[in-house]
Amino acid sequence: MASPSKAQIFQWLEAVKDPEIPVISIRDLGILQGIRVADGSVSVDIIPTYSGCPAMYAIQADIKQVLQAHGIEQVSIQLCHEPVWNTDMITEQGRESMRAFGIAPPLQADQRTVACPQCGSTETTCISQFGSTACKALYRCEACLEPFDYFKCHA
Amino acid sequence: MQKDLSQYTLRLADSALTMGQRLAEWCGHGPYLEEDVALTNVSLDLIGHAHMFYQMAGAMQEPAVTADDLAFLRDAHEYRNPLITELPRGDFAYTTLKQYFIDVFNLYLYQAMATSTHEELAAVAKKAGMEVKYHLARSEAWCERLSLSTDEAKARIQQALDDLWFYTPELFETDAAMQRLTAAGVAPDYATIQQQWQQRVEPFMALCGLTLPQAGWVATGGLQGEHTEHLGFMLAEMQFLPRAYPGCEW
Ligand SMILES: [Zn+2]
């Protein structure tokens, strides 16, 4: 079988999502860093979001599974230390998926207030800097009173 | 150089792992839910830092060993953390103040290490340093809140300070291997970190209305593998599973 192209593999890996936020792919999260193809074997470089993130194990297993389902027997995955991940690496598509899922995306350079992903109000209060996972803080919207997760800015 | 660096990364890893393990003991025991989550989130970050340093240390050994081998198959006398990181978790004031001391130390340590001439060490330090900023914001805010609140809280954090203060100088101890690494631009200069640490911590303790103890036994020994009895108990619990079921994985 001919080796699949890099672009093809990128597209296949679109199916690998962050297990904690199952609407955002590892590419949109910015942790898929490189792909090398040689003689039917594929090598994938990923970087961790948070250094202790337990989802990295599930993500590695998922990458392997997806590629093997497409007939690639030899898959190797490197967990790299560089580049150092930050939230600016999340794509616009990723931010949009996050919002639609009910998680406020990380603030960007020109933003000052966290907007509620439900109603859009910027009248929000941080309840705890540490939320359900290492990457999230817990907020409450003062307009619609819903609590929500905020994906912390990390840069 | 390789051997020095392997030893040094073990000190970094052991310090992060023992801190992380003590914080993990709070799981289900935090004063309220958000704090329970925060304590274990910080724990997870620290265990992540330990993992990165153990991987580096393990890859440099002959023959190479895994991060798990280093964390789970070494005895207390082979651990190189300073004594402060292995002390029992104590009450919330004690945990908080200890965390604050370590967070300030880690902040300056990783800031300096991010410019190491050793690329991998610099990258790991950048990653860890970003996370430490969050840890410090939290522990600093809590120190202030506890110190300036009820008499009970204030008495407890003052007691914690009395108990912990003379464990802090050991954070800045170095050995010949570390000094060679510092001379080579690989490891940070610990004397500078100590100055930065003191310049931040001492005025902050005063702001909190806490009194530094004047005299006490100054802890030492971790770098030589001489530990308190607490480490043995911690390892007995932490290492039980991999020792009882060698090679097991989740
Ligand atoms: Zn709202």
Side-chain angles (χ1 to χ4, degrees), chain A residues 116 119 141 144:
Chain A
C116 168
C119 74
C141 174
C144 72

Side-chain angles (χ1 to χ4, degrees), chain B residues 116-220:
Chain B
S116 166
T117 53
H118 191 281
E119 273 179 36
E120 192 180 4
L121 197 61
V124 170
K126 269 181 225 159
K127 179 104 204 129
M130 279 162 85
E131 292 163 359
V132 165
K133 281 187 221 157
Y134 275 100
H135 304 170
L136 178 57
R138 178 182 158 277
S139 61
E140 196 164 53
W142 265 116
C143 279
E144 202 174 342
R145 282 171 78 178
L146 292 174
S147 305
L148 305 177
S149 67
T150 61
D151 291 344
E152 169 84 10
K154 184 160 184 158
R156 286 192 185 219
I157 197 160
Q158 179 64 55
Q159 184 62 53
L161 179 58
D162 294 345
D163 293 343
L164 287 168
W165 185 246
F166 290 105
Y167 281 92
T168 60
E170 196 194 0
L171 290 169
F172 312 100
E173 263 182 32
T174 58
D175 58 13
M178 287 167 72
Q179 287 152 17
R180 283 192 293 270
L181 291 172
T182 300
V186 173
D189 174 34
Y190 276 63
T192 308
I193 297 172
Q194 182 163 25
Q195 265 178 10
Q196 293 172 311
W197 189 91
Q198 286 168 340
Q199 280 165 13
R200 178 162 183 152
V201 169
E202 289 177 12
F204 181 66
M205 291 293 104
L207 176 89
C208 290
L210 298 172
T211 312
L212 297 181
Q214 291 308 305
W217 176 74
V218 179
T220 185

Side-chain angles (χ1 to χ4, degrees), chain B residues 87-102:
Chain B
L87 295 176
R89 72 175 199 263
D91 62 13
F92 187 65
Y94 187 87
T95 280
T96 302
L97 187 67
K98 179 162 54 136
Q99 190 64 37
Y100 169 71
F101 288 154
I102 300 294

Side-chain angles (χ1 to χ4, degrees), chain A residues 16-19 26 31 46 55-63:
Chain A
V16 180
K17 310 291 185 191
D18 178 342
I26 55 171
I31 64 172
I46 55 173
M56 297 313 292
Y57 298 103
I59 288 171
Q60 294 182 48
D62 289 350
I63 292 174

Side-chain angles (χ1 to χ4, degrees), chain A residues 50-129:
Chain A
Y50 281 73
S51 43
C53 182
M56 297 313 292
Y57 298 103
I59 288 171
Q60 294 182 48
D62 289 350
I63 292 174
K64 214 163 241 179
Q65 199 181 18
V66 164
L67 294 181
Q68 283 172 347
H70 284 99
I72 300 166
E73 295 295 331
Q74 297 290 325
V75 179
S76 70
I77 301 162
Q78 285 77 41
L79 191 53
C80 306
H81 293 313
E82 278 187 300
V84 178
W85 179 83
N86 67 68
T87 41
D88 290 337
M89 292 178 171
I90 301 173
T91 63
E92 202 43 54
Q93 172 62 46
R95 296 174 59 83
E96 210 30 69
S97 316
M98 221 181 257
R99 201 177 347 250
F101 191 62
I103 299 171
L107 289 178
Q108 288 172 308
D110 54 338
Q111 296 171 320
R112 287 283 165 272
T113 47
V114 175
C116 168
Q118 311 288 344
C119 74
S121 167
T122 51
E123 298 291 313
T124 58
T125 311
C126 178
I127 301 173
S128 173
Q129 275 295 340

